[in-house]
Amino acid sequence: MKQEILFLWRFVKPYRFRMLNIWFLAIWNIAFNLALVWIAVPFVQILLNRSVSLSSAGLEGKLNGIVSGMITGMAEGERLLKVGTILVILYLGGQVTLLLRKMSVYRINYKVIETVRRELFDSVFQADCHCIGNFQAGEVSSLFVNDVNNLNAFLIDLLDRPFVLGMKLLFYLGLLIVISWQLVLVVSLSVPLVWMIVNRIGRMIRGKYLDLMKTVSEMEAGIVRDLRSFKIIAMFNQIGNRIDRFRGINQRYSNHLFRIKVIHLYNSACLDATRVMIMAGVLLVGSFVFLRSGEMTGDSILRFFALIPMLFYAVEGLSSMYTSLNQSLPSLKRIIVFIRSLQGKIVLAKRAELVEPQFERQIRITGLDVCIGEQNIIRNLNLLVRKGERIGIMGPNGSGKSTLLDVLCRFQHPDKGDILIDDKSIFDFELHGYRELIGLVPQDLIIEKGTIRDNVCYGRAGFSDQDVLQSLKLAGAWQFVSQKPGALECQIGPEGMGLSGGEKQRLVLARALLSDPPILLLDEFNSQIDKESERSILFSIGSLGRQKTIIMVSHNMEEISHLVDRVMFFRNGNLIQRVSG
C-alpha cells in the first residue's frame, strides 16, 4: 500500500494547496450537519405540541442553552417559523459546502488521472522498441483505459474521504460522548465485529479484482490479435476455435464480476445487520436504564438516535473506502510494474551534454553487442560506412539485420560498444535532431487514414506542396498519385485501403525522403511487393546518386547487388563475409 500511495503522491502533490480548500469545506459541511441535528429536536417537539425542555448539565446543557435562547419568549408559531428557517439555512449551507467540496475533489481527481495516463503514454513512446514488443497491444490498451479508470475511486478516497470521514467520526463521537458516554460504550462493542467484516471483505475483493483485470487484458489482447489476423483465421478454419476461446474468456469475466457483486452484497448485509443490532442495543439500554433512572432526557435520546445513523454512515464510508482501495490496488500495481519495467529502457542521451547532430564523413560501429532477453543478437560488430556509400545487409531471420537498424535509429541501446558519426557517439546527439539525419523505410508499411499529403508529411510541419511533390517523384510515386482523384488531396482508407503493396511502398519511401535526410535505411523494403514494383522502386533509389548514404537490409540481394558497394552477410549476430558489389 505504501509504495502505491507514494507513486500517486507524485501526481497529487501539485494540488496539495487545493486539498486544504477541500478540507476547509469539509469542516464547514460537518458543522452545518451537526447543527442541523441539534436544532431539529426542538423543531420536532414544537410540531408535536410538546413543551420544549432543553435543560441539561455540562456541555450538552450549554448547547441547549444556545438553542433555548433563540426561541425563548416567542409564541409557538413564531418559534416554529424561526426554527424552521434556521433548519433550511443549515441544510442549504451543508449542501452548498458539499457541492463545492465534491467539485474540487473531482477536478483534482480527473487532472491526476490525465497526468497518469500521459506518463504511461510517454513511457511507451520513449522506451526501447523491443521492450514494448514484450507486451501485447490489448494488454497495453487495457492499462490505458481500464486500469487508469479504476484509479478514480482510489483517488477520491485518497483525496477526500480519509480526512472527511475521520473528522466526521471525531465530531459525531464527541457529541455522542457528551450526550451519554455509557451508550457510546455499548456502541463500541460492535467495533471489532465491523473491523473483522471489513478486513475479510477487503482481502476477498483484492484477489478477485486482480483476476478480473487480468481477464480484461486477455480479452482485449485477443480481440486486437484476432481482428488483425482475421483472414488467416478464416483461411485455416479457426473461426470456431476463436469464438469458443472468446466465449470462455467472456464467461470468466462475467463470473468474476458476479463474485465481486456477491461479496459487496454480503458486505452490505453484514453491516446492515450489525447496525440493526447496535440500534436495538442502544434502544434497550437507553430506554430501560438511563431514561428510567433519569440520567438522560427524552431530548438526549432523540439526539443520540439522530447521531447514531450519521456515525454509522461514517463507519460504512470507511468500510467502502477500504473496499474500493482493494479494488483499485491491483490496477495501480499493474501500472507501477509496467512503468518501472520501461524506466530502464528509455531511449535518451546517455550523457548530460547534448551535441548538435551532423554527418560529414563516416559512420563507425565499434564492438557492438546487443542482447534481447538472454539471446545475444549482435556480437562484437565492427563496421565502417563512409558518406555516400551504399551497403547491403543480408542474412537469415534473427541474425541481427533489423536489430542493427533499430540501434542506428536509437530505438534501443546496445549492451556494449558504440556507434560514432564523425567520431561523436550517436547517443550524445539530441534525439529529435539525430533522427532528422535518417530516413527509414521499415518492414511494416504504416499508412493511416487521411490524404496522400498527410501520409507523406506524417505530422511534420513546414513542407510545401512542392516539397511533397518532389519527394513523390524521387520515390517514383507521382505517376500513380497524379492519376488519383484530387492527387495530393486523395483520401486513403485505414491501413492504406485502396492502395496496392507497391503503391504503399512508394508512399513510405516518399515519406522517408521528404526531409532530404543524408542517411537512408531500408529494412526488407522489397519483401511484400511484386518484381515490377521492386524494379521501379530500385530505379528510384538508384537515381538518388551519391548524395545519400544507404543501408539496405534484405533476404535476397540478387535485385539490389548492382546498387550497393558491399554486401554484408550476417549469421547469429556475426559479420561472417564481405563481398564487393
Side-chain angles (χ1 to χ4, degrees):
M1 177 75 76
K2 181 179 179 181
Q3 68 168 345
E4 287 83 4
I5 292 177
L6 289 176
F7 173 81
L8 277 183
W9 176 245
R10 293 194 295 112
F11 303 98
V12 175
K13 189 177 180 180
Y15 306 101
R16 58 190 182 276
F17 294 114
R18 293 190 187 182
M19 291 174 63
L20 295 176
N21 180 55
I22 293 173
W23 297 341
F24 175 77
L25 291 169
I27 292 173
W28 273 104
N29 178 252
I30 295 170
F32 280 123
N33 289 334
L34 289 175
L36 185 66
V37 170
W38 206 269
I39 295 177
V41 172
F43 181 74
V44 171
Q45 291 176 324
I46 293 172
L47 288 177
L48 297 175
N49 294 317
R50 289 181 52 195
S51 60
V52 181
S53 176
L54 297 170
S55 61
S56 296
L59 180 58
E60 185 182 5
K62 293 180 180 179
L63 294 174
N64 287 339
I66 295 173
V67 176
S68 178
M70 291 190 293
I71 59 178
T72 300
M74 294 183 180
E76 186 174 298
E78 292 178 346
R79 285 187 297 169
L80 183 62
L81 178 61
K82 185 170 184 179
V83 173
T85 303
I86 294 173
L87 288 176
V88 170
I89 292 173
L90 292 175
Y91 174 79
L92 291 176
Q95 291 301 306
V96 169
T97 52
L98 177 64
L99 175 64
L100 294 175
R101 177 169 62 86
K102 290 294 184 182
M103 288 175 60
S104 300
V105 169
Y106 287 126
R107 178 62 177 169
I108 297 175
N109 176 46
Y110 293 135
K111 294 300 292 184
V112 171
I113 290 293
E114 175 188 339
T115 309
V116 172
R117 192 175 279 118
R118 185 174 66 232
E119 177 157 324
L120 264 175
F121 193 86
D122 292 347
S123 298
V124 168
F125 281 90
Q126 292 177 356
D128 186 310
C129 66
H130 284 287
C131 182
I132 294 298
N134 294 330
F135 299 92
Q136 298 184 62
E139 183 180 0
V140 177
S141 65
S142 179
L143 284 168
F144 276 93
V145 180
N146 298 309
D147 289 286
V148 173
N149 284 342
N150 281 343
L151 296 185
N152 276 314
F154 187 95
L155 277 170
I156 291 173
D157 290 339
L158 185 65
L159 294 171
D160 184 39
R161 299 181 77 180
F163 177 81
V164 173
L165 294 176
M167 291 298 295
K168 285 183 177 180
L169 281 174
L170 182 64
F171 279 104
Y172 298 160
L173 196 58
L175 279 179
L176 288 171
I177 290 173
V178 168
I179 295 171
S180 174
W181 63 268
Q182 296 95 332
L183 286 181
V184 172
L185 286 178
V186 175
V187 174
S188 65
L189 295 176
S190 65
V191 172
L193 178 60
V194 172
W195 171 247
M196 287 173 57
I197 295 172
V198 169
N199 191 44
R200 174 65 177 168
I201 297 299
R203 289 201 305 268
M204 293 170 63
I205 284 181
R206 187 185 308 177
K208 295 301 179 185
Y209 254 85
L210 181 59
D211 294 338
L212 179 70
M213 298 317 300
K214 288 180 179 178
T215 305
V216 169
S217 294
E218 184 181 353
M219 182 187 294
E220 291 196 5
I223 291 171
V224 171
R225 181 180 60 249
D226 290 349
L227 287 175
R228 287 179 175 176
S229 310
F230 179 76
K231 292 181 180 179
I232 300 298
I233 292 171
M235 186 64 196
F236 287 92
N237 296 318
Q238 294 299 304
I239 292 178
N241 291 337
R242 297 306 170 97
I243 289 175
D244 290 341
R245 185 172 65 180
F246 177 80
R247 287 176 178 173
I249 297 173
N250 194 34
Q251 185 177 11
R252 289 208 318 270
Y253 176 74
S254 298
N255 290 340
H256 289 318
L257 283 178
F258 176 73
R259 292 189 186 106
I260 290 170
K261 190 63 178 177
V262 168
I263 293 172
H264 279 295
L265 293 173
Y266 172 73
N267 182 44
S268 299
C270 290
L271 290 176
D272 288 343
T274 304
R275 179 169 60 245
V276 170
M277 288 188 294
I278 292 174
M279 294 293 288
V282 169
L283 180 63
L284 181 65
V285 175
S287 299
F288 289 95
V289 179
F290 299 109
L291 190 58
R292 289 190 176 185
S293 66
E295 295 183 19
M296 292 183 67
T297 65
D299 302 335
S300 299
I301 287 288
L302 284 175
R303 287 199 177 98
F304 201 94
F305 268 95
L307 286 170
I308 279 290
M310 299 175 73
L311 181 68
F312 278 133
Y313 173 77
V315 172
E316 289 177 4
L318 289 174
S319 169
S320 64
M321 182 183 75
Y322 185 72
T323 301
S324 65
L325 288 178
N326 281 284
Q327 291 177 183
S328 303
L329 273 178
S331 293
L332 185 55
K333 285 182 178 178
R334 279 163 49 85
I335 291 171
I336 293 173
V337 168
F338 180 78
I339 289 179
R340 287 181 177 174
S341 70
L342 301 181
Q343 282 178 344
K345 304 292 184 179
I346 301 300
V347 185
L348 297 174
K350 293 190 296 186
R351 304 170 181 87
E353 296 182 2
L354 298 177
V355 178
E356 187 67 26
Q358 293 181 344
F359 178 39
E360 300 292 341
R361 300 190 310 277
Q362 63 186 18
I363 302 171
R364 182 184 294 276
I365 302 173
T366 60
L368 197 70
D369 277 17
V370 180
C371 297
I372 298 177
E374 300 296 326
Q375 186 178 5
N376 198 341
I377 301 298
I378 296 178
R379 299 183 179 91
N380 193 31
L381 176 63
N382 295 279
L383 179 64
L384 177 65
V385 182
R386 293 180 177 84
K387 185 174 183 179
E389 194 173 10
R390 297 174 178 178
I391 304 294
I393 299 178
M394 183 178 176
N397 290 331
S399 61
K401 309 184 303 298
S402 296
T403 301
L404 175 60
L405 297 193
D406 285 345
V407 177
L408 279 168
C409 292
R410 284 179 59 180
F411 294 150
Q412 67 181 106
H413 278 300
D415 295 275
K416 185 179 177 183
D418 207 347
I419 299 178
L420 308 174
I421 291 184
D422 296 345
D423 300 324
K424 294 185 178 73
S425 172
I426 66 171
F427 301 102
D428 287 337
F429 289 147
E430 190 276 323
L431 183 59
H432 293 171
Y434 169 69
R435 286 179 175 161
E436 288 292 328
L437 297 177
I438 298 174
L440 174 66
V441 179
Q443 293 186 47
D444 298 325
L445 305 179
I446 306 300
I447 303 292
E448 297 184 351
K449 182 178 180 181
T451 65
I452 289 178
R453 177 195 287 105
D454 294 338
N455 271 280
V456 174
C457 293
Y458 208 69
R460 294 170 292 180
F463 293 104
S464 64
D465 286 354
Q466 188 61 37
D467 296 328
V468 176
L469 179 62
Q470 179 65 23
S471 69
L472 288 169
K473 288 180 178 179
L474 287 174
W478 178 245
Q479 182 176 0
F480 81 84
V481 170
S482 62
Q483 296 174 3
K484 298 282 185 182
L488 295 180
E489 299 301 325
C490 177
Q491 289 286 334
I492 302 175
E495 299 184 5
M497 187 181 300
L499 298 178
S500 68
E503 290 171 342
K504 293 178 186 178
Q505 191 74 66
R506 291 188 187 96
L507 280 186
V508 173
L509 179 59
R511 180 190 297 161
L513 295 172
L514 179 62
S515 60
D516 193 25
I519 302 170
L520 187 61
L521 306 180
L522 308 172
D523 189 5
E524 300 285 4
F525 71 96
N526 56 347
S527 62
Q528 302 180 38
I529 55 177
D530 57 67
K531 290 296 182 181
E532 183 178 352
S533 298
E534 180 182 12
R535 283 192 291 269
S536 175
I537 293 172
L538 289 174
F539 177 80
S540 300
I541 294 172
S543 66
L544 296 175
R546 292 289 177 171
Q547 291 83 18
K548 299 189 184 303
T549 302
I550 301 176
I551 299 178
M552 304 183 193
V553 167
S554 178
H555 284 90
N556 185 1
M557 285 288 166
E558 291 181 4
E559 294 292 336
I560 67 174
S561 58
H562 67 283
L563 290 177
V564 299
D565 302 309
R566 286 180 288 162
V567 177
M568 321 293 294
F569 287 87
F570 274 86
R571 180 165 295 155
N572 297 326
N574 293 308
L575 181 64
I576 62 172
Q577 188 177 1
R578 303 180 184 183
V579 179
S580 298

